[in-house]
């Protein structure tokens, strides 16, 4: 299996200068290839292939001598990254590729000539870079991606192949449905509610002060750059806190359950609601589901996504009676048919689990427990997730 380990690295001043030059070369070549591909697609209806982009390098290096400073393999990786970006766009997994900017996060990938030995990471043309290794991985090092954030911190993501096959997947064990929310971050079908830390709200006042100080600085001045770094540090603090929470919660849920069922939410559409956009963006539901998915694959667990239009909140988990509509301010409701009193979130989590088990069983009406999760009259579920 492939696993990536991220470490903090501390390059010397000479190595930092060479990295800055390499970042600039990679960024320039990426933007050049992206612009050329876009123009070619508009004029001929066909873009440039990966080999077409790589074949541009010899002539460009003769025209621009500074393109010879980074390792040649790193420039070739640009063609791979750009091809992947266009593939994700055409398969509707991402938006059209954007041009890279200098003030944002910079990165460069080293596919060859790399070695992690103790506390030093050997990279082409850079030599040995001090690396703070928290745990030494096992397997073969395949690539290293060095990145620098706007605060001047450097990180190395080391991709390892441990040579082991993926664990055998089995559905024997506990199944759980997860309904995400804002008041409570995750509500599980067993009745557990995990609180939402809301880290952006926690650091909102501090961030506002730093941004206010930044707005008062003269553009292009050194003081403005210092103020900009302070703003970035607050954003990094929020990101690290959120990732720490999501890692711990996803690990806990994967370790305790064999089948994990969640909703396939369209977060991009949900943030169009200006009243909930900030809270939804702060929650990071998409990142949470991604963590659940790859951690389940690593552990031999099963990850299932239920369609976003499945009316989990409007369906009684006891008799499967479906009501017309339930507004968001209603947190408990009583089924008019079987008179069961439901907690809105727990009921939705139970329905999500049952629907996931139905899909796991091959789409039949019966789940693994033998219960029906579809109405007997066969009406298709419609409506929005409550």
């Amino acid at each position: 299996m492939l696993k990536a380990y991220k470490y903090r690295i501390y390059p010397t001043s000479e190595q930092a200068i060479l990295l800055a030059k390499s970042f600039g070369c990679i960024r320039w070549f990426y933007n050049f290839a992206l612009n050329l591909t876009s123009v070619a697609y508009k004029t001929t209806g066909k873009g440039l292939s990966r080999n077409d982009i790589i074949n541009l390098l010899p002539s460009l290096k003769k025209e621009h001598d500074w393109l010879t400073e980074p390792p040649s393999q790193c420039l070739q990786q640009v063609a791979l990254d750009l091809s992947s970006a266009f593939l994700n766009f055409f398969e509707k997994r991402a938006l059209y590729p954007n041009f890279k900017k200098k003030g944002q996060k910079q990165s460069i990938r080293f596919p060859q000539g790399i070695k992690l030995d103790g506390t030093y990471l050997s990279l082409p043309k850079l030599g040995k870079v001090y690396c703070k290794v928290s745990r030494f991985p096992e397997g073969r090092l395949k690539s290293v991606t060095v990145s620098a954030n706007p605060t001047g911190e450097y990180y190395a993501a080391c991709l390892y192949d441990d040579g082991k096959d993926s664990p055998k997947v089995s559905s024997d064990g506990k199944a759980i449905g997860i309904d995400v929310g804002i008041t409570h971050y995750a509500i599980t079908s067993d009745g557990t509610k995990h609180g939402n830390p809301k880290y952006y709200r926690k650091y909102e006042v501090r961030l506002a002060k730093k941004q206010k100080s930044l707005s008062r600085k003269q553009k292009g001045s050194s003081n403005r750059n210092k103020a900009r770094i302070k703003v970035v540090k607050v954003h990094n603090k929020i990101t690290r806190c959120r990732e720490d929470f999501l890692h711990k919660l996803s690990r806990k849920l994967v370790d305790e359950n064999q089948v994990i069922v969640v909703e396939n939410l369209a977060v991009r559409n949900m943030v169009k609601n200006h009243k909930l956009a900030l809270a939804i963006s702060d929650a990071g539901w998409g990142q949470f589901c991604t963590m659940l998915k790859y951690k389940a694959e690593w552990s031999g667990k099963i990850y299932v996504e239920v369609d976003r239009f499945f009316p989990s909140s409007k369906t009684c988990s006891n008799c499967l009676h479906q009501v017309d509509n339930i507004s968001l301010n209603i947190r408990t409701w009583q089924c008019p048919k079987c008179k069961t009193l439901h907690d809105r979130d727990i009921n939705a989590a139970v329905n999500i689990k049952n629907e996931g088990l139905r899909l796991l069983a091959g789409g039949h009406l019966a789940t693994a427990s033998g219960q029906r999760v579809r109405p007997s009259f066969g009406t298709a579920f419609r409506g929005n997730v409550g």
Side-chain angles (χ1 to χ4, degrees):
M1 289 191 301
L2 297 177
K3 291 186 178 181
Y5 300 83
K6 190 175 182 179
Y7 305 117
R8 176 81 180 270
I9 61 175
Y10 299 86
T12 63
S13 56
E14 294 81 5
Q15 291 171 337
I17 293 174
L18 182 56
L19 276 175
K21 293 180 179 179
S22 300
F23 290 147
C25 294
I26 297 300
R27 183 177 62 252
W28 181 89
F29 183 53
Y30 183 91
N31 293 339
F32 177 82
L34 175 58
N35 179 67
L36 202 62
T37 304
S38 301
V39 172
Y41 184 78
K42 290 179 181 179
T43 56
T44 65
K46 294 183 180 180
L48 299 179
S49 66
R50 185 188 310 173
N51 292 332
D52 294 335
I53 298 175
I54 294 177
N55 292 334
L56 296 173
L57 283 172
S59 59
L60 289 175
K61 287 183 178 180
K62 294 179 181 179
E63 184 179 354
H64 306 286
D65 295 337
W66 39 267
L67 279 178
T68 59
E69 293 182 352
S72 59
Q73 297 88 354
C74 298
L75 291 171
Q76 294 174 5
Q77 288 294 312
V78 172
L80 178 63
D81 295 340
L82 190 58
S83 299
S84 300
F86 274 107
L87 180 62
N88 292 333
F89 167 71
F90 286 118
E91 294 185 357
K92 298 182 179 181
R93 292 195 298 263
L95 298 177
Y96 194 84
N98 293 324
F99 291 102
K100 294 183 179 295
K101 299 180 180 179
K102 184 178 181 180
Q104 298 178 350
K105 179 181 177 180
Q106 307 294 314
S107 63
I108 183 173
R109 185 181 299 112
F110 298 88
Q112 297 176 357
I114 50 180
K115 183 180 180 181
L116 180 60
D117 186 11
T119 57
Y120 286 93
L121 179 64
S122 298
L123 299 172
K125 293 193 176 183
L126 288 173
K128 292 186 176 180
V129 183
Y130 178 72
C131 181
K132 192 172 183 180
V133 181
S134 55
R135 54 175 176 171
F136 198 82
E138 297 180 356
R140 182 170 63 91
L141 182 59
K142 296 182 68 67
S143 68
V144 174
T145 302
V146 177
S147 59
N149 58 25
T151 61
E153 297 176 347
Y154 294 87
Y155 294 90
C158 302
L159 182 64
Y160 273 85
D161 184 3
D162 57 9
K164 300 178 182 179
D165 296 331
S166 301
K168 186 178 180 181
V169 178
S170 173
S171 60
D172 297 334
K174 182 182 177 181
I176 195 168
I178 303 174
D179 180 52
V180 294
I182 295 177
T183 304
H184 295 91
Y185 188 86
I187 303 91
T188 57
S189 55
D190 57 5
T192 305
K193 294 184 177 182
H194 301 273
N196 188 358
K198 300 180 181 179
Y199 289 109
Y200 184 87
R201 293 295 187 187
K202 182 178 180 181
Y203 294 96
E204 189 175 16
V205 176
R206 184 189 303 182
L207 181 61
K209 289 181 179 180
K210 302 299 182 182
Q211 289 175 333
K212 187 176 182 180
S213 177
L214 174 64
S215 65
R216 292 174 173 175
K217 299 296 186 293
Q218 184 179 357
K219 291 185 178 181
S221 64
S222 299
N223 287 335
R224 181 178 176 84
N225 185 52
K226 294 177 182 178
R228 180 188 62 84
I229 293 177
K230 291 180 181 180
V231 172
V232 174
K233 285 184 176 180
V234 179
H235 281 293
N236 289 345
K237 177 68 174 179
I238 297 172
T239 301
R240 290 196 302 268
C241 291
R242 183 187 297 117
E243 289 180 349
D244 180 72
F245 167 74
L246 296 181
H247 274 297
K248 291 178 179 178
L249 179 58
S250 59
R251 173 50 60 191
K252 173 181 172 60
L253 293 173
V254 171
D255 288 345
E256 295 178 353
N257 303 279
Q258 186 65 28
V259 180
I260 299 99
V261 188
V262 298
E263 283 182 303
N264 180 18
L265 298 176
V267 180
R268 186 183 302 172
N269 296 333
M270 297 174 69
V271 296
K272 293 180 181 179
N273 183 346
H274 67 279
K275 294 183 179 180
L276 300 176
L278 180 59
I280 293 174
S281 300
D282 187 25
W285 293 333
Q287 188 179 16
F288 175 62
C289 293
T290 301
M291 291 180 179
L292 285 174
K293 185 176 182 179
Y294 75 74
K295 288 177 182 179
E297 293 176 355
W298 287 355
S299 305
K301 308 297 180 69
I302 298 178
Y303 173 86
V304 183
E305 286 189 352
V306 173
D307 187 81
R308 66 191 63 165
F309 297 107
F310 175 71
S312 56
S313 298
K314 299 187 294 184
T315 304
C316 174
S317 59
N318 183 42
C319 66
L320 302 181
H321 175 73
Q322 181 179 336
V323 297
D324 294 334
N325 189 23
I326 301 179
S327 59
L328 287 175
N329 61 334
I330 299 177
R331 309 316 301 174
T332 58
W333 61 281
Q334 188 176 30
C335 176
K337 185 176 181 181
C338 67
K339 307 302 179 182
T340 303
L341 183 64
H342 292 293
D343 179 285
R344 177 195 183 101
D345 299 325
I346 297 177
N347 175 70
V350 173
N351 286 326
I352 290 172
K353 182 192 73 171
N354 292 337
E355 177 69 4
L357 292 176
R358 185 190 71 85
L359 296 174
L360 192 61
H364 300 294
L365 290 176
T367 65
S369 61
Q371 299 177 352
R372 296 173 66 88
V373 295
R374 287 286 190 183
S376 58
F377 47 82
T379 302
F381 282 129
R382 300 185 183 273
N384 296 326
V385 176

